[in-house]
Amino acid sequence: MHGMVPPDPSGSGVSQTVYATVYMPKFKPSRNRFPASCITTYASEQEAIEAAEGDSKRFPAVIQDPSKSSEGQYIYYLWKWL
């Protein structure tokens, strides 16, 4: 994926995909990176989906663990919406 730090190929756990909810006041499906302050991670897909139910500003997704941006912030990358 262009503009994204890929997962660690050695499988050491440095970069993994995880289930999460993404906080967005206005849903923008074309967005593919989010600051750490917008992300809440969960152990399973079902937990992420349930956590987003009833909240019009949280959306369940599969994301990549954070990488550090050039500005020094931690950024999560979207793999797919659930």
Side-chain angles (χ1 to χ4, degrees):
M1 296 181 149
H2 179 67
M4 185 177 132
V5 177
D8 181 27
S10 69
S12 66
V14 174
S15 292
Q16 299 178 6
T17 55
V18 294
Y19 300 106
T21 55
V22 180
Y23 174 78
M24 285 191 297
K26 293 183 181 180
F27 184 66
K28 297 176 185 174
S30 60
R31 221 173 143 190
N32 67 350
R33 4 181 273 166
F34 305 93
S37 61
C38 295
I39 302 295
T40 304
T41 60
Y42 296 91
S44 71
E45 179 178 346
Q46 189 62 35
E47 285 182 60
I49 292 169
E50 289 173 1
E53 285 178 8
D55 188 338
S56 64
K57 296 179 181 182
R58 289 201 180 274
F59 302 91
V62 178
I63 58 170
Q64 179 182 327
D65 269 346
S67 58
K68 202 167 188 180
S69 73
S70 58
E71 295 85 22
Q73 296 184 1
Y74 286 98
I75 302 293
Y76 287 82
Y77 290 92
L78 174 71
W79 281 98
K80 70 176 181 176
W81 296 111
L82 297 175

